Amino acid sequence: MLVWYVSYGSNMHAARLGWYIGGGCPPGGKRTYPGCRDRRPPSRSAAVSLPGGIYFAGESGAWTGGMAFYDPHLPGEAAARAYLVTLEQFTDIAAQEMYRPPGDPTDLVPATGAAVDAAVASGRATLGPGRYETLVCPGRRDGVPLLTFTAPEGASAARCRPPAPIYLSMIAKGLRESHGWPAERIVTYLSARPGVAGTWPPDAVAALVDEALVDG
């Protein structure tokens, strides 16, 4: 079974997603990933927009600072990137986001499969109470379900926290790669996100985006 894994955070940057698939520790990161059992790259990717928005909260174990979460009840649209992967790969990516070992046949694999079915049927399903353990299906693309994961609470219930520069830089690179946005649009988009707004001055976001896009 194929699904679209939808990323709205750092995994919009294809090289960042590559560490989840192939394993290893990305430059500047604090975590080493085991990777997916199936290490083939996604067969396709596409720029997508989700109803709602993203916010930053919690504490990233990989980068420090706030993490990106999707809230379908926020106004506007969330820029995202969809990757066509197998259900097994999606399960393994989800496991690594949840700090669980991928491929656990006694727990996560059947649980995720059941949650995918439930999310496709109703739009939302829960694997657990933790971050990235709430599965959301915002629709289909080419007849294949779009799937992403987020926190159980929305932005209104979260304590927003600014993201680390390296994390925000990867999101900026992902927005350029997937959507082809110019720097000015990326700055406007990121500066308005809860967790960035009011904590990152717009000129600091602009300087970070300019540097990120020069580095590629």
Side-chain angles (χ1 to χ4, degrees):
M1 176 182 178
L2 294 177
V3 300
W4 291 101
Y5 160 52
V6 181
S7 171
Y8 49 82
S10 60
N11 282 342
M12 284 192 289
H13 184 33
R16 168 71 174 117
L17 179 64
W19 296 101
Y20 278 94
I21 293 176
C25 181
K30 296 179 178 296
R31 286 184 64 198
T32 298
Y33 299 94
C36 294
R37 290 164 288 171
D38 180 350
R39 296 177 183 254
R40 291 175 297 173
S43 53
R44 289 169 56 193
S45 73
V48 297
S49 296
L50 307 180
I54 67 168
Y55 64 97
F56 294 89
E59 171 75 17
S60 171
W63 311 109
T64 73
M67 300 169 289
F69 295 103
Y70 169 59
D71 182 352
H73 301 296
L74 283 172
E77 290 187 327
R81 186 176 191 174
Y83 297 94
L84 192 62
V85 298
T86 66
L87 179 59
E88 179 187 272
Q89 287 177 314
F90 178 81
T91 299
D92 289 349
I93 293 168
Q96 292 172 89
E97 286 278 23
M98 298 173 197
Y99 285 75
R100 304 186 190 188
D104 182 352
T106 63
D107 179 20
L108 190 63
V109 173
T112 304
V116 166
D117 291 341
V120 170
S122 65
R124 190 178 183 92
T126 301
L127 273 164
R131 63 185 191 182
Y132 301 128
E133 292 188 358
T134 297
L135 201 59
V136 177
C137 177
R140 291 176 178 267
R141 182 182 178 89
D142 300 332
V144 178
L146 296 156
L147 293 166
T148 192
F149 26 78
T150 188
E153 74 278 358
S156 62
R159 183 177 179 181
C160 291
R161 188 163 186 269
I166 189 171
Y167 184 59
L168 203 61
S169 176
M170 287 190 178
I171 296 176
K173 292 178 181 180
L175 288 167
R176 168 60 68 83
E177 278 184 5
S178 56
H179 288 262
W181 287 358
E184 294 80 6
R185 185 171 181 182
I186 295 173
V187 170
T188 299
Y189 176 79
L190 293 178
S191 295
R193 302 308 101 198
V196 176
T199 61
W200 271 79
D203 58 345
V205 178
L208 177 142
V209 169
D210 286 342
E211 182 178 355
L213 300 185
V214 167
D215 291 344

